[in-house]
Amino acid sequence: MNIFKKILLVIMVFTMAMFITGCGKSSNVEGSLEEIMEKVYEKLPEDNRPMMLENREVNDENIEGFLGSKDIKYTEALASESGTGSIAHSVVLLRVEDGEDIEKVKTTIKEKVDPRKWICVGVEREDLIVKNKGNLVILIMVEDEKTRTTLEEGFDNL
């Protein structure tokens, strides 16, 4: 094989490796949780959002109320909920610590979160959405199907 063919082969292998690995690009979602939450809600019209919607920091003291378990190892978390207790709407973003088993975290959330944590309203467990992009996990616990789907699409499009 002549030198030009060898060089061409090396270039092709390198190019294919870049495509396969995504040019070294991380699969984690970049940006602050507030910025990411805005993107998740971007396509949801204001009049479809619950009253008094606000972001709340999730910490070691309140994580069980938002995600159902204190045993989740995370670096930061943010919840978006209505300020009124009778609206079944909770969206939680969670950055999981490096090296944690993402699938186990998602299963823990899905099994332990309380989908009836509000006054007189709730979400069916089978309607909970728990998914991830890299180390970012989202819980969408929303009663309205159209809103739930729109928020899920917002996360998928990050």
Side-chain angles (χ1 to χ4, degrees):
M1 193 183 316
N2 70 31
I3 188 76
F4 293 111
K5 287 183 180 178
K6 287 180 183 178
I7 292 172
L8 183 60
L9 180 63
V10 169
I11 291 171
M12 288 174 54
V13 168
F14 179 73
T15 303
M16 288 175 59
M18 285 179 43
F19 280 114
I20 291 170
T21 62
C23 302
K25 183 177 167 186
S26 170
S27 62
N28 292 334
V29 178
E30 300 297 325
S32 73
L33 293 183
E34 289 83 6
E35 293 167 340
I36 295 168
M37 191 71 81
E38 284 180 29
K39 290 178 183 176
V40 168
Y41 277 91
E42 200 169 61
K43 300 286 186 196
L44 186 66
E46 286 291 330
D47 56 339
N48 287 38
R49 298 178 187 195
M51 293 184 318
M52 299 170 48
L53 186 66
E54 60 188 18
N55 289 339
R56 299 178 185 154
E57 179 188 357
V58 177
N59 55 43
D60 292 344
E61 294 174 11
N62 64 16
I63 191 169
E64 193 168 12
F66 288 110
L67 296 172
S69 175
K70 291 183 177 185
D71 299 329
I72 298 169
K73 293 186 171 104
Y74 66 101
T75 58
E76 63 179 334
L78 183 70
S80 174
E81 293 195 340
S82 172
T84 18
S86 60
I87 297 175
H89 184 101
S90 181
V91 177
V92 182
L93 291 171
L94 173 81
R95 282 200 205 271
V96 178
E97 285 186 6
D98 288 337
E100 284 300 300
D101 182 345
I102 295 284
E103 293 307 314
K104 182 179 177 187
V105 169
K106 293 186 324 189
T107 299
T108 298
I109 294 169
K110 187 114 178 174
E111 290 175 353
K112 297 198 174 193
V113 72
D114 181 5
R116 301 209 53 82
K117 69 180 192 172
W118 303 278
I119 302 168
C120 301
V121 295
V123 176
E124 297 300 322
R125 191 163 298 279
E126 61 267 11
D127 291 333
L128 299 178
I129 296 169
V130 182
K131 56 187 353 182
N132 74 292
K133 281 191 172 236
N135 71 343
L136 183 68
V137 175
I138 190 167
L139 163 65
I140 302 173
M141 193 163 54
V142 175
E143 186 175 25
D144 178 65
E145 182 180 359
K146 184 175 181 182
T147 299
R148 192 170 55 240
T149 302
T150 302
L151 294 171
E152 181 178 18
E153 289 170 358
F155 183 75
D156 291 342
N157 292 330
L158 291 175

